Amino acid sequence: MKAKYRFTAVLLLSVAACAALFVRVYGTGRQEERAGGEGILAVASFYPVYVAAEQVAGGCENIRIECLSEPQSGCLHDFVLTPEDMQLLSSADLFLVNGGGMETFLEEVAAQYPSLTVAETADGLVSEENAHAWMGIAKYRAQVDAVLNALCKASEDDAPQLKANAAAYDAKLMALKEQQEALRDVLAGSKVISFHEAYEYLAEDYGLEIVYTLDLDEERQVSAGEVADVLKAVKEEGVRVILAEELYGADMAETIRKEADVAVCFLDTLVRGDYGADSYIDGMQQNINLLKEAFGVN
Ligand SMILES: [Zn+2]
């Protein structure tokens, strides 16, 4: 038995030694990389901003884009910075954020890294109550423009490439905008119920009137009173379509569908993905298709 313990102890010590070595090698490499002053590191706070930055900085070898939060973590309402996040920010040249209250940790970051440039891309685009700017296509185009300006300032040599990339991306966004505007002509004035705060700016794009919002931006219990409120709104306002999100709204949607004759449109809030640069384009196109289906538009 004693020999067995000794073996385990030696094994654990070896693992610890290897780990320590790895951390040292990795840490040193990183510091040298930054100390050399080569390249720009732009950290995006979360997925929609990350996707915009990837599009704008594509092909610029001098600029590296990192996403602070995991691409599956969604909105940042409850986000708490980890020591790893702080370490990433310590080596950043630029912090691209949504702003408008989405990142509740900005003061903490400013206190820790007062010289870090922070670009609030939704500045002036959103109300105090709702920071989900990217859900409106025109607002998102403005955010992409803000990303472009911030990156041009951070890396002037790359400005021509950045501008060309942004223009190409904007052409794709304009194509989405044209579809959205055509659909607005048909949908404007329709009453909907929203199961997610993020759909306010999307509804605005299509002239949809949200008669009731049940904000399911996180896992939580829905009360019997809230179910009754939704059903009442469906009946009294003649709502035919509910805008919901699959992750947190599916159960509630099922509950309502059992009681009332409404279509549920599961839209993408565009805050999750697989790091694909076309995540926003694809997600918003899908949203347009789903809205057409839910409202029976050909
Ligand atoms: Zn949100």
Side-chain angles (χ1 to χ4, degrees):
M1 275 309 257
K2 266 192 170 172
K4 200 172 166 189
Y5 282 130
R6 202 154 46 220
F7 173 72
T8 309
V10 168
L11 190 73
L12 283 175
L13 276 173
S14 309
V15 169
C18 283
L21 198 66
F22 174 77
V23 167
R24 262 189 65 194
V25 168
Y26 181 72
T28 309
R30 181 162 199 124
Q31 269 161 20
E32 274 173 6
E33 188 188 324
R34 299 306 312 155
E38 275 178 47
I40 298 289
L41 171 61
V43 175
S45 61
F46 77 140
Y47 202 62
V49 180
Y50 168 80
V51 170
E54 271 293 321
Q55 284 279 356
V56 175
C60 295
E61 281 169 16
N62 189 41
I63 303 175
R64 190 159 62 92
I65 309 290
E66 294 264 352
C67 197
L68 184 73
S69 55
E70 291 295 313
Q72 291 299 323
S73 48
C75 271
L76 296 171
H77 306 295
D78 306 319
F79 190 80
V80 179
L81 288 169
T82 65
E84 289 77 28
D85 296 333
M86 278 309 217
Q87 206 196 334
L88 178 64
L89 289 172
S90 75
S91 52
D93 301 284
L94 175 63
F95 190 25
L96 298 164
V97 304
N98 185 81
M102 177 57 69
E103 295 86 357
T104 50
F105 48 80
L106 284 184
E107 274 180 35
E108 197 183 335
V109 171
Q112 191 86 13
Y113 306 112
S115 60
L116 175 62
T117 304
V118 181
E120 300 197 36
T121 61
D123 201 19
L125 300 173
V126 293
S127 72
E128 243 169 68
E129 293 78 38
N130 197 330
H132 304 82
W134 66 95
M135 293 304 290
I137 297 174
K139 289 183 195 295
Y140 179 65
R141 287 178 65 212
Q143 286 189 279
V144 175
D145 203 43
V147 167
L148 170 66
N149 288 335
L151 285 173
C152 282
K153 268 186 202 150
S155 184
E156 282 172 23
D157 292 347
D158 287 303
Q161 176 76 55
L162 293 167
K163 284 177 185 166
N165 288 345
Y169 190 38
D170 194 56
K172 292 185 189 175
L173 295 174
M174 270 307 288
L176 282 177
K177 188 96 189 79
E178 278 164 25
Q179 291 182 61
Q180 174 258 303
E181 278 169 6
L183 193 52
R184 183 194 172 95
D185 292 343
V186 186
L187 302 190
S190 301
K191 290 176 177 179
V192 295
I193 288 171
S194 171
F195 283 178
H196 200 294
E197 199 187 26
Y199 300 142
E200 185 182 327
Y201 298 126
L202 178 135
E204 228 175 73
D205 267 2
Y206 297 94
L208 297 171
E209 187 192 336
I210 297 176
V211 296
Y212 185 84
T213 298
L214 182 64
D215 193 27
L216 302 176
D217 202 351
E218 59 187 356
E219 214 161 322
R220 71 168 176 90
Q221 291 293 315
V222 177
S223 73
E226 285 173 317
V227 175
D229 285 345
V230 172
L231 288 170
K232 190 169 163 232
V234 169
K235 283 193 190 110
E236 287 181 2
E237 304 280 356
V239 170
R240 286 162 48 220
V241 174
I242 292 175
L243 310 179
E245 192 210 22
E246 195 97 55
L247 187 58
Y248 300 126
D251 291 348
M252 182 61 178
E254 202 43 49
T255 304
I256 300 303
R257 239 182 336 210
K258 278 180 195 157
E259 305 283 331
D261 181 25
V262 284
V264 180
C265 193
F266 288 108
L267 298 171
D268 189 345
T269 52
L270 309 168
V271 291
R272 295 181 184 83
D274 57 3
Y275 290 114
D278 281 332
S279 291
Y280 183 91
I281 297 278
D282 295 344
M284 196 53 108
Q285 181 64 60
Q286 178 71 1
N287 282 347
I288 291 172
N289 299 347
L290 289 168
L291 282 168
K292 282 185 180 172
E293 199 183 307
F295 283 95
V297 179
N298 291 317

